[in-house]
């Protein structure tokens, strides 16, 4: 019997070890020149609205995923009061943030105070971040039955508190069954200075290229959120290699002020489903940081470059137009935390190079600077 128990203990230990390996899902993205690359989730829920996890659990999940910050965005409508009326809570609408922030103080992660103003379409749902009082925002919103008037009242109170305001999931199938629609109400909200960003990826409905294009057209900040209600382990398919979607914020410092300054200046990108979305001015230096050239060798007929991907994001490349005079692999994938060797020759194989340096280019098929527009990227190497 003792031998059997020892064997079972060993089996359990092996199983736990395997599980720990499977659950290694830290998001790894390097800093870019001049900025820290901070990873965050701009949209999460807890039991204090309609989520099913305690606020401190959101902190632990974020740490396990390698995030630098996240925003508690519990709904600010009447559902919290309904829970209070049932005797489940004896607190205001800010309690979930207070619990998470207190728990995070001794841990290397920032919890940002936010909330979600929840209305029918139009105008839909908006997240407000960097607020002082969800209670005051909810009380202002509650004064109006009309969706637009209630939203504007809530957003105006949020603006008084210095909030950053985002239209959430414009492509959510429940409110946009035939695709996202920009209503007159959204133009009015934008014109009033009550919209700073758009959520282009949401775990419920994924990515929207239409919403991404709106953000580029209207010079709005792009963000992503899990919109997690249940345990993250049940929401993200870690076992099959899925990573938690996140907003990449290119900040001058790791602080709430640093994150806010970056959001205000549109220095963000979205990482989701092994794809990256953002403005070219930030995706280009991001890829410069991700792809590190480890070695360069050449003869008079062949250039060999070894490239290392130092991130958790595979880089998918397709040979760009304009390089027909060179021969190199047309389609490659440089896997996460992996090396790849690229060999370049003249298009007429076996002929000698006549230039002092070689430049060859790709379209990055999983990096997007607008709807269906891939980032262009090139390598240049001097010939010795």
């Amino acid at each position: 019997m003792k031998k059997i128990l020892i064997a079972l203990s060993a089996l359990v230990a092996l199983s736990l070890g395997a599980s720990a390996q499977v659950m290694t899902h830290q998001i790894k993205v390097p800093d870019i020149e001049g900025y820290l690359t901070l990873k965050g989730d701009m949209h999460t829920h807890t039991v204090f609205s309609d989520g099913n996890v305690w606020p401190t659990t959101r902190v632990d999940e974020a740490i396990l995923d390698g995030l630098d910050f996240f925003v508690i965005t519990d709904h600010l409508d009447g559902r919290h009061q309904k829970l209070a009326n049932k005797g489940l809570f004896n607190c205001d609408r800010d309690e979930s943030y207070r619990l998470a922030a207190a728990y995070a103080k001794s841990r290397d992660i920032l919890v940002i105070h936010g909330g979600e103003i929840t209305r029918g379409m139009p105008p839909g749902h908006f997240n407000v971040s960097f607020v002082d009082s969800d209670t005051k925002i909810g009380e202002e919103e509650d004064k109006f039955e009309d969706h637009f008037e209630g939203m504007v009242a809530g957003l105006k109170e949020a603006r008084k508190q210095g909030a950053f305001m985002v239209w959430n999931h414009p492509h959510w199938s429940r409110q946009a069954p035939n695709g996202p629609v920009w209503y007159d109400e959204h133009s009015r909200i934008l014109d009033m200075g009550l919209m700073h960003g758009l959520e282009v990826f949401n775990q419920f409905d994924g990515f929207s290229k239409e919403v991404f294009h709106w953000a580029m057209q209207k010079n709005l900040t792009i963000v992503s959120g899990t919109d997690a209600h249940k345990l993250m382990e049940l929401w993200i398919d870690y076992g099959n290699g899925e990573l938690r979607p996140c907003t990449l914020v290119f900040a001058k410092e790791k602080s709430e002020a640093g994150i806010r300054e970056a959001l205000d200046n549109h220095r963000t990108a979205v990482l989701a489903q092994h794809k990256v979305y953002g403005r070219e001015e930030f995706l280009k230096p991001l890829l410069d940081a991700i792809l590190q050239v480890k070695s360069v060798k050449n003869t008079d007929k062949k250039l060999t470059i070894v490239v290392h991907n130092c991130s958790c994001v595979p880089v998918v490349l397709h040979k760009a137009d304009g390089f027909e005079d060179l021969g190199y692999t047309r389609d490659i994938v440089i896997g996460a935390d992996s090396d790849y060797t690229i060999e370049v020759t003249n298009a007429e194989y076996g002929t000698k190079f006549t230039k002092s340096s070689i430049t060859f280019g790709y379209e990055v098929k999983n990096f997007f600077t607008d709807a269906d527009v891939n980032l262009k990227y090139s390598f240049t190497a001097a010939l010795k």
Side-chain angles (χ1 to χ4, degrees), residues 11 16 36-37 72 95 106 166 186 197 211 232 244 326 340 358 360:
L11 184 60
L16 289 174
L36 301 174
T37 301
I72 293 277
E95 184 67 10
S106 60
V166 174
H186 297 112
V211 178
M232 204 65 66
R244 177 177 181 159
L326 296 174
Y340 195 96
I358 295 293
F360 59 101

Side-chain angles (χ1 to χ4, degrees), residues 67-368:
L67 299 190
D68 298 290
F69 73 94
F70 72 99
V71 189
I72 293 277
T73 54
D74 277 322
H75 296 279
L76 303 184
D77 57 17
R79 68 192 76 191
H80 178 276
Q81 189 57 47
K82 289 178 182 177
L83 294 170
N85 292 340
K86 291 179 180 179
L88 296 175
F89 299 123
N90 182 22
C91 57
D92 61 23
R93 288 181 252 208
D94 297 286
E95 184 67 10
S96 59
Y97 164 73
R98 286 193 289 263
L99 288 167
Y103 184 68
K105 274 188 177 180
S106 60
R107 294 158 177 83
D108 188 25
I109 190 163
L110 297 169
V111 180
I112 295 172
H113 195 174
E116 182 169 15
I117 303 174
T118 310
R119 289 285 174 158
M121 185 67 78
H125 297 188
F126 275 65
N127 270 351
V128 292
S129 305
F130 304 93
V131 301
D132 299 320
S133 172
D134 284 335
T135 299
K136 289 183 180 179
I137 297 168
E139 287 172 350
E140 289 302 311
E141 176 206 353
D142 288 345
K143 292 177 181 178
F144 299 90
E145 291 291 332
D146 180 80
H147 292 313
F148 177 73
E149 291 180 354
M151 178 62 70
V152 169
L155 292 176
K156 283 184 175 180
E157 173 58 33
R159 181 171 60 185
K160 288 180 184 177
Q161 299 179 25
F164 185 82
M165 296 170 277
V166 174
W167 179 14
N168 293 342
H169 46 65
H171 54 301
W172 182 32
S173 55
R174 189 179 298 179
Q175 291 192 330
N178 299 309
V181 177
W182 184 282
Y183 291 91
D184 289 341
E185 285 84 350
H186 297 112
S187 293
R188 292 165 65 188
I189 288 171
L190 181 61
D191 291 343
M192 284 187 279
L194 299 175
M195 185 192 305
H196 301 132
L198 291 171
E199 187 181 69
V200 304
F201 184 95
N202 179 286
Q203 190 69 11
F204 278 103
D205 280 88
F207 171 73
S208 170
K209 65 180 181 181
E210 295 91 349
V211 178
F212 184 33
H213 185 58
W214 290 346
M216 297 300 100
Q217 275 186 320
K218 301 174 188 298
N219 200 29
L220 294 167
T221 300
I222 62 168
V223 304
S224 169
T226 55
D227 198 358
H229 287 67
K230 54 189 174 182
L231 193 68
M232 204 65 66
E233 180 74 18
L234 302 174
W235 196 221
I236 309 298
D237 192 2
Y238 296 118
N240 283 319
E242 186 178 355
L243 294 174
R244 177 177 181 159
C246 66
T247 305
L248 304 179
V249 176
F250 307 112
K252 295 177 182 178
E253 63 180 30
K254 185 178 177 179
S255 67
E256 285 198 32
I259 294 167
R260 178 58 191 271
E261 187 274 337
L263 289 168
D264 286 339
N265 288 284
H266 317 304
R267 292 200 309 272
T268 65
V270 164
L271 167 60
Q273 298 176 335
H274 302 297
K275 298 180 177 67
V276 183
Y277 307 90
R279 291 171 169 82
E280 183 176 0
E281 61 185 298
F282 305 120
L283 292 199
K284 175 61 167 58
L286 180 60
L287 201 54
D288 284 339
I290 287 174
L291 296 182
Q292 300 178 350
V293 176
K294 291 180 66 175
S295 67
V296 179
K297 298 179 181 179
N298 73 277
T299 66
D300 59 354
K301 297 179 182 179
K302 183 170 71 174
L303 172 70
T304 303
I305 295 181
V306 178
V307 181
H308 178 71
N309 179 349
C310 68
S311 78
C312 64
V313 186
V315 178
V316 183
L317 302 176
H318 175 74
K319 185 177 181 180
D321 294 336
F323 298 94
E324 289 78 13
D325 59 328
L326 296 174
Y328 53 94
T329 306
R330 290 189 295 275
D331 293 284
I332 66 175
V333 177
I334 307 177
D337 199 24
S338 299
D339 292 347
Y340 195 96
T341 301
I342 305 173
E343 295 183 344
V344 185
T345 66
N346 282 320
E348 187 179 346
Y349 186 80
T351 60
K352 294 182 179 181
F353 294 126
T354 59
K355 300 177 181 179
S356 59
S357 66
I358 295 293
T359 297
F360 59 101
Y362 286 97
E363 288 186 1
V364 190
K365 302 305 288 185
N366 61 328
F367 279 57
F368 298 86

Side-chain angles (χ1 to χ4, degrees), residues 27-54:
I27 299 168
K28 180 183 176 185
V29 183
D31 297 332
I32 69 174
E33 186 175 357
Y35 299 105
L36 301 174
T37 301
L38 303 181
K39 294 90 65 185
D41 189 337
M42 299 287 291
H43 195 166
T44 66
H45 294 280
T46 76
V47 293
F48 284 80
S49 59
D50 61 344
N52 60 5
V53 306
W54 197 250

